[in-house]
mmCIF file of all heavy atoms in Angstrom:
data_model
loop_
_atom_site.group_PDB
_atom_site.id
_atom_site.type_symbol
_atom_site.label_atom_id
_atom_site.label_comp_id
_atom_site.label_asym_id
_atom_site.label_seq_id
_atom_site.Cartn_x
_atom_site.Cartn_y
_atom_site.Cartn_z
ATOM 1 N N LEU R 43 -1.963 21.709 -3.892
ATOM 2 C CA LEU R 43 -1.119 20.888 -3.039
ATOM 3 C C LEU R 43 -1.920 19.836 -2.285
ATOM 4 O O LEU R 43 -1.379 18.890 -1.729
ATOM 5 C CB LEU R 43 -0.366 21.757 -2.029
ATOM 6 C CG LEU R 43 1.053 22.168 -2.435
ATOM 7 C CD1 LEU R 43 1.682 22.973 -1.323
ATOM 8 C CD2 LEU R 43 1.901 20.959 -2.790
ATOM 9 N N LEU R 44 -3.211 20.043 -2.275
ATOM 10 C CA LEU R 44 -4.045 19.080 -1.577
ATOM 11 C C LEU R 44 -4.231 17.819 -2.394
ATOM 12 O O LEU R 44 -4.823 16.857 -1.950
ATOM 13 C CB LEU R 44 -5.415 19.696 -1.260
ATOM 14 C CG LEU R 44 -5.420 20.764 -0.170
ATOM 15 C CD1 LEU R 44 -6.759 21.462 -0.124
ATOM 16 C CD2 LEU R 44 -5.108 20.153 1.177
ATOM 17 N N TYR R 45 -3.703 17.843 -3.620
ATOM 18 C CA TYR R 45 -3.947 16.733 -4.513
ATOM 19 C C TYR R 45 -3.630 15.378 -3.882
ATOM 20 O O TYR R 45 -4.447 14.485 -3.824
ATOM 21 C CB TYR R 45 -3.151 16.896 -5.816
ATOM 22 C CG TYR R 45 -3.084 15.606 -6.573
ATOM 23 C CD1 TYR R 45 -4.221 15.139 -7.233
ATOM 24 C CD2 TYR R 45 -1.935 14.811 -6.565
ATOM 25 C CE1 TYR R 45 -4.202 13.919 -7.893
ATOM 26 C CE2 TYR R 45 -1.909 13.600 -7.209
ATOM 27 C CZ TYR R 45 -3.037 13.158 -7.871
ATOM 28 O OH TYR R 45 -3.019 11.938 -8.501
ATOM 29 N N SER R 46 -2.425 15.258 -3.362
ATOM 30 C CA SER R 46 -2.007 13.954 -2.873
ATOM 31 C C SER R 46 -2.717 13.610 -1.571
ATOM 32 O O SER R 46 -2.988 12.455 -1.275
ATOM 33 C CB SER R 46 -0.508 13.941 -2.646
ATOM 34 O OG SER R 46 -0.171 15.068 -1.882
ATOM 35 N N GLN R 47 -3.002 14.657 -0.854
ATOM 36 C CA GLN R 47 -3.754 14.443 0.364
ATOM 37 C C GLN R 47 -5.136 13.899 0.022
ATOM 38 O O GLN R 47 -5.662 13.014 0.687
ATOM 39 C CB GLN R 47 -3.885 15.765 1.092
ATOM 40 C CG GLN R 47 -4.586 15.626 2.405
ATOM 41 C CD GLN R 47 -5.058 16.958 2.882
ATOM 42 O OE1 GLN R 47 -4.703 18.003 2.344
ATOM 43 N NE2 GLN R 47 -5.874 16.932 3.890
ATOM 44 N N GLU R 48 -5.658 14.431 -1.064
ATOM 45 C CA GLU R 48 -6.956 13.962 -1.531
ATOM 46 C C GLU R 48 -6.900 12.466 -1.837
ATOM 47 O O GLU R 48 -7.793 11.718 -1.474
ATOM 48 C CB GLU R 48 -7.340 14.759 -2.783
ATOM 49 C CG GLU R 48 -8.737 14.493 -3.256
ATOM 50 C CD GLU R 48 -9.134 15.456 -4.370
ATOM 51 O OE1 GLU R 48 -8.259 16.206 -4.864
ATOM 52 O OE2 GLU R 48 -10.298 15.461 -4.733
ATOM 53 N N THR R 49 -5.828 12.064 -2.468
ATOM 54 C CA THR R 49 -5.660 10.646 -2.796
ATOM 55 C C THR R 49 -5.728 9.808 -1.525
ATOM 56 O O THR R 49 -6.403 8.795 -1.457
ATOM 57 C CB THR R 49 -4.292 10.413 -3.482
ATOM 58 O OG1 THR R 49 -4.116 11.431 -4.441
ATOM 59 C CG2 THR R 49 -4.225 9.047 -4.111
ATOM 60 N N LEU R 50 -4.983 10.281 -0.522
ATOM 61 C CA LEU R 50 -4.959 9.579 0.760
ATOM 62 C C LEU R 50 -6.334 9.525 1.415
ATOM 63 O O LEU R 50 -6.804 8.478 1.851
ATOM 64 C CB LEU R 50 -4.054 10.330 1.731
ATOM 65 C CG LEU R 50 -2.603 9.950 1.816
ATOM 66 C CD1 LEU R 50 -1.897 10.947 2.705
ATOM 67 C CD2 LEU R 50 -2.468 8.545 2.373
ATOM 68 N N LEU R 51 -6.930 10.696 1.466
ATOM 69 C CA LEU R 51 -8.226 10.782 2.140
ATOM 70 C C LEU R 51 -9.257 9.922 1.426
ATOM 71 O O LEU R 51 -10.031 9.212 2.058
ATOM 72 C CB LEU R 51 -8.699 12.232 2.199
ATOM 73 C CG LEU R 51 -7.963 13.124 3.187
ATOM 74 C CD1 LEU R 51 -8.419 14.559 3.044
ATOM 75 C CD2 LEU R 51 -8.189 12.653 4.610
ATOM 76 N N LEU R 52 -9.235 9.988 0.102
ATOM 77 C CA LEU R 52 -10.206 9.200 -0.654
ATOM 78 C C LEU R 52 -9.968 7.720 -0.418
ATOM 79 O O LEU R 52 -10.893 6.946 -0.226
ATOM 80 C CB LEU R 52 -10.143 9.534 -2.147
ATOM 81 C CG LEU R 52 -10.638 10.945 -2.494
ATOM 82 C CD1 LEU R 52 -10.495 11.217 -3.979
ATOM 83 C CD2 LEU R 52 -12.083 11.151 -2.047
ATOM 84 N N GLN R 53 -8.690 7.353 -0.406
ATOM 85 C CA GLN R 53 -8.325 5.958 -0.167
ATOM 86 C C GLN R 53 -8.926 5.447 1.153
ATOM 87 O O GLN R 53 -9.625 4.456 1.197
ATOM 88 C CB GLN R 53 -6.797 5.862 -0.134
ATOM 89 C CG GLN R 53 -6.253 4.536 0.319
ATOM 90 C CD GLN R 53 -6.461 3.447 -0.737
ATOM 91 O OE1 GLN R 53 -6.603 3.755 -1.926
ATOM 92 N NE2 GLN R 53 -6.522 2.198 -0.309
ATOM 93 N N PHE R 54 -8.669 6.193 2.217
ATOM 94 C CA PHE R 54 -9.103 5.692 3.521
ATOM 95 C C PHE R 54 -10.594 5.936 3.789
ATOM 96 O O PHE R 54 -11.208 5.200 4.546
ATOM 97 C CB PHE R 54 -8.241 6.278 4.633
ATOM 98 C CG PHE R 54 -6.818 5.791 4.550
ATOM 99 C CD1 PHE R 54 -5.763 6.675 4.469
ATOM 100 C CD2 PHE R 54 -6.553 4.424 4.505
ATOM 101 C CE1 PHE R 54 -4.461 6.221 4.374
ATOM 102 C CE2 PHE R 54 -5.244 3.955 4.402
ATOM 103 C CZ PHE R 54 -4.201 4.860 4.327
ATOM 104 N N SER R 55 -11.130 6.957 3.129
ATOM 105 C CA SER R 55 -12.552 7.206 3.355
ATOM 106 C C SER R 55 -13.420 6.195 2.612
ATOM 107 O O SER R 55 -14.621 6.121 2.846
ATOM 108 C CB SER R 55 -12.923 8.629 2.938
ATOM 109 O OG SER R 55 -12.893 8.750 1.535
ATOM 110 N N ASN R 56 -12.785 5.409 1.717
ATOM 111 C CA ASN R 56 -13.544 4.379 0.993
ATOM 112 C C ASN R 56 -14.205 3.373 1.907
ATOM 113 O O ASN R 56 -15.176 2.723 1.538
ATOM 114 C CB ASN R 56 -12.622 3.623 0.028
ATOM 115 C CG ASN R 56 -12.487 4.387 -1.271
ATOM 116 O OD1 ASN R 56 -13.318 5.232 -1.579
ATOM 117 N ND2 ASN R 56 -11.433 4.095 -2.008
ATOM 118 N N SER R 57 -13.635 3.227 3.116
ATOM 119 C CA SER R 57 -14.241 2.249 4.038
ATOM 120 C C SER R 57 -15.529 2.790 4.653
ATOM 121 O O SER R 57 -16.267 2.067 5.299
ATOM 122 C CB SER R 57 -13.236 1.867 5.131
ATOM 123 O OG SER R 57 -13.064 2.946 6.015
ATOM 124 N N ILE R 58 -15.772 4.088 4.460
ATOM 125 C CA ILE R 58 -17.037 4.678 4.936
ATOM 126 C C ILE R 58 -18.079 4.513 3.838
ATOM 127 O O ILE R 58 -17.988 5.163 2.798
ATOM 128 C CB ILE R 58 -16.849 6.180 5.278
ATOM 129 C CG1 ILE R 58 -15.817 6.343 6.391
ATOM 130 C CG2 ILE R 58 -18.179 6.827 5.656
ATOM 131 C CD1 ILE R 58 -15.326 7.775 6.590
ATOM 132 N N THR R 59 -19.018 3.618 4.041
ATOM 133 C CA THR R 59 -19.991 3.353 2.974
ATOM 134 C C THR R 59 -21.410 3.534 3.473
ATOM 135 O O THR R 59 -21.702 3.345 4.651
ATOM 136 C CB THR R 59 -19.861 1.910 2.452
ATOM 137 O OG1 THR R 59 -20.197 1.013 3.525
ATOM 138 C CG2 THR R 59 -18.458 1.610 1.950
ATOM 139 N N LYS R 60 -22.276 3.867 2.521
ATOM 140 C CA LYS R 60 -23.690 4.037 2.878
ATOM 141 C C LYS R 60 -24.280 2.728 3.377
ATOM 142 O O LYS R 60 -25.160 2.718 4.224
ATOM 143 C CB LYS R 60 -24.478 4.592 1.703
ATOM 144 C CG LYS R 60 -24.442 3.735 0.472
ATOM 145 C CD LYS R 60 -25.179 4.416 -0.672
ATOM 146 C CE LYS R 60 -24.950 3.619 -1.946
ATOM 147 N NZ LYS R 60 -25.202 4.388 -3.146
ATOM 148 N N GLU R 61 -23.771 1.602 2.852
ATOM 149 C CA GLU R 61 -24.296 0.307 3.292
ATOM 150 C C GLU R 61 -24.015 0.094 4.786
ATOM 151 O O GLU R 61 -24.898 -0.310 5.543
ATOM 152 C CB GLU R 61 -23.682 -0.853 2.489
ATOM 153 C CG GLU R 61 -24.147 -0.951 1.043
ATOM 154 C CD GLU R 61 -23.469 0.045 0.102
ATOM 155 O OE1 GLU R 61 -22.424 0.633 0.506
ATOM 156 O OE2 GLU R 61 -23.970 0.268 -1.018
ATOM 157 N N GLU R 62 -22.767 0.381 5.183
ATOM 158 C CA GLU R 62 -22.426 0.176 6.600
ATOM 159 C C GLU R 62 -23.112 1.206 7.500
ATOM 160 O O GLU R 62 -23.540 0.882 8.613
ATOM 161 C CB GLU R 62 -20.902 0.212 6.795
ATOM 162 C CG GLU R 62 -20.258 -1.081 6.322
ATOM 163 C CD GLU R 62 -18.743 -1.102 6.502
ATOM 164 O OE1 GLU R 62 -18.222 -0.448 7.430
ATOM 165 O OE2 GLU R 62 -18.079 -1.771 5.692
#
Side-chain angles (χ1 to χ4, degrees):
L43 265 182
L44 288 170
Y45 164 73
S46 50
Q47 183 197 349
E48 188 172 9
T49 315
L50 268 173
L51 287 174
L52 291 178
Q53 171 72 23
F54 294 124
S55 71
N56 276 340
S57 71
I58 299 167
T59 64
K60 59 184 172 200
E61 289 78 15
E62 284 180 29

